[in-house]
Amino acid sequence: MRLTIIGTGYVGLVTGACFAEVGHRVICVDNDAAKVKVLQEGGIPIYEPGLEEMVKQNVEAGRLSFTTSTAEGVEKSEVIFIAVPTPPLADGAVDLSFIEKVARDIASAMTSYKIVVDKSTVPVKTGDNVAETIKRYNKAHVDFDVVSNPEFLREGFAVEDLMHPDRVVIGVRSQRPVAAMKEVYAPFNAPIIVTDINSAELIKHASNSFLALKISYINAISVVCEATGANVQEVANGMGMDERIGRRFLDASLGFGGSCFPKDLSAFIKIAEQVGCQFGLLKEVQQINSRQMDRFLKKISDTLWVLKDKTIGVLGLAFKQNTDDVRMSPAIELCQRLQKEGVRLRVHDPKAIEKARAVLQDVTFVEDMDAVAEGCDALVVATEWEQFKKLDLERARKALTHPILFDGRNLFDPAEMERMGFIYKSIGR
Ligand code: UGA
């Protein structure tokens, strides 16, 4: 099929590449000419495992192309996906101006029947507004359908998630676009659920809020574990064996971050408020998350006493492993809060150093993770990169003025760390 994706951010680019990979002919549109040029020349603007090769192969095979022209994308495809940012506004609501602009652009360019599919995360009822906007701005008065098709990929595992989705949600107002949407997703062999548009839009916010709730739940349990001498990992393992609960997303941490959970929680609370529902449960999820960072910082200051003029090594800057994304990263918040206390920082991340340079000033970026501890008073693990588990602990122990390690991701075994001579403080253990 011929498909157009408008917006080449994480969702748009990975979706475009995966659609091309299964045989569709895909045009990716972005209004950022510099980004389109990079993509046309075989580069990619983000780090995502497996993506670069996939983009390259599909461009070479002639199935994937990039343009700045929305009109070209609209003309050449019958199914047009919108995958533009929906950033938060100051009050927690969602900025839908990019969606609205793209809806107008599509409308102006439409001269025949189109299926306009929203993939961006949007508040419930956005589909109605998109449909109304297209109707108003389409001078040719052609038929069209609006579809909601939320995306559930995780950064760092985006290609894998998109190629093997748990489910595909298709929200429609009529049956007309269903066959075409099923054809788009047929090669992925995933269960498809067809709903009304409002339900599809809600599935996305309800899912992300539930996952965030799961993390805050285990983080709240971690506090009780610390107070009682229990081990949060043992508790999570025991809970997770109940199939109704499941082990995934029960890893206690210094808090969740990223461009999705914090934003989507605020948006969902706001959406509920606007329809007269107080979602106190989700407000508590947010509060547990911010308290988790406060508690972690307190652990550091309680142990080091005075923070001013201390040097701390930080392992991890991305908001999670396998990505170079530092947006709303707990690791970056941690660094900035330590700096406010007068701490000097030596920091490392396997992929996010370049992006972190734009948000962190006056820190020493260290390319080799094993060299971070040199001259430091303590070491902190802030991101759950798998390779940190292979840290040369013996070298770190000798390099630190005193062998203190704060682990915000529970990567190491407390008994083993103690045996090696570390003062080791992790989460809920
Ligand atoms: C999240 C959802 O998992 C995706 O399904 C969704 O499509 C995406 O948001 C989105 O809306 O676009 P993402 O933000 O990429 O994906 O990353 P996650 O793997 O969900 O991690 C989010 C945060 O939670 C990270 O900071 C991570 O370190 C933290 N986390 C995750 C924990 O602290 N503990 C866990 O057990 C799991």
Side-chain angles (χ1 to χ4, degrees), residues 201-218:
E201 289 169 340
L202 267 176
I203 286 171
K204 174 67 188 190
H205 268 130
S207 300
N208 270 9
S209 299
F210 188 81
L211 291 167
L213 177 147
K214 215 174 163 187
I215 302 169
S216 275
Y217 187 82
I218 201 68

Side-chain angles (χ1 to χ4, degrees), residues 102-378:
V102 169
R104 278 190 280 130
D105 290 348
I106 294 171
S108 313
M110 265 168 40
T111 52
S112 58
Y113 173 76
K114 302 288 171 191
I115 300 172
V116 181
V117 187
D118 175 52
K119 229 180 202 319
S120 303
T121 301
V122 293
V124 58
K125 293 199 166 291
T126 299
D128 291 350
N129 289 323
V130 167
E132 191 53 41
T133 303
I134 295 178
K135 210 160 115 193
R136 265 183 220 160
Y137 286 84
N138 176 236
K139 297 277 178 287
H141 302 293
V142 294
D143 263 5
F144 68 93
D145 273 296
V146 167
V147 172
S148 166
N149 172 220
E151 183 46 61
F152 300 101
L153 62 82
R154 294 161 302 161
E155 286 181 28
F157 302 90
V159 170
E160 164 79 17
D161 285 351
L162 223 140
M163 294 304 288
H164 308 284
D166 289 343
R167 79 300 207 185
V168 172
V169 175
I170 295 173
V172 290
R173 296 212 288 193
S174 76
Q175 285 307 303
R176 186 171 176 190
V178 173
M181 289 304 295
K182 286 191 171 168
E183 199 183 329
V184 171
Y185 281 102
F188 296 93
N189 293 318
I192 294 177
I193 163 171
V194 179
T195 69
D196 62 278
I197 294 192
N198 290 345
S199 302
E201 289 169 340
L202 267 176
I203 286 171
K204 174 67 188 190
H205 268 130
S207 300
N208 270 9
S209 299
F210 188 81
L211 291 167
L213 177 147
K214 215 174 163 187
I215 302 169
S216 275
Y217 187 82
I218 201 68
N219 279 338
I221 299 283
S222 80
V223 180
V224 183
C225 287
E226 282 178 25
T228 55
N231 179 327
V232 75
Q233 279 176 321
E234 306 281 9
V235 176
N237 290 343
M239 285 171 63
M241 286 172 80
D242 184 330
E243 277 181 20
R244 293 169 303 173
I245 298 174
R247 177 63 181 82
R248 295 174 75 189
F249 277 69
L250 282 181
D251 290 322
S253 64
L254 74 177
F256 58 76
S259 62
C260 301
F261 286 171
K263 174 190 86 153
D264 290 354
L265 269 176
S266 302
F268 203 27
I269 291 169
K270 199 83 197 166
I271 292 161
E273 251 169 42
Q274 282 162 355
V275 294
C277 310
Q278 289 302 319
F279 221 145
L281 177 67
L282 295 187
K283 290 183 187 163
E284 185 58 21
V285 169
Q286 288 179 317
Q287 275 160 23
I288 292 170
N289 200 48
S290 65
R291 284 201 296 268
Q292 202 65 2
M293 176 64 77
D294 297 344
R295 291 182 63 255
F296 191 66
L297 281 157
K298 186 166 182 308
K299 244 177 228 176
I300 299 176
S301 59
D302 282 354
T303 311
L304 297 183
W305 187 24
V306 173
L307 289 179
K308 191 166 181 295
D309 290 333
K310 295 269 162 59
T311 302
I312 294 182
V314 178
L315 290 167
L317 298 167
F319 81 99
K320 58 181 275 191
Q321 64 171 325
N322 281 343
T323 179
D324 61 352
D325 195 348
V326 296
R327 289 175 294 171
M328 298 290 287
S329 170
I332 299 287
E333 181 187 340
L334 177 93
C335 288
Q336 288 168 339
R337 288 177 66 174
L338 287 172
Q339 279 184 313
K340 271 205 190 113
E341 299 295 325
V343 171
R344 285 184 296 270
L345 295 173
R346 289 171 58 77
V347 301
H348 167 81
D349 190 282
K351 292 286 175 196
I353 287 183
E354 275 324 304
K355 293 209 166 138
R357 283 187 205 278
V359 288
L360 278 185
Q361 278 79 46
D362 303 322
V363 305
T364 305
F365 289 99
V366 184
E367 294 290 342
D368 172 9
M369 72 170 178
D370 288 315
V372 174
E374 274 158 32
C376 289
D377 298 287

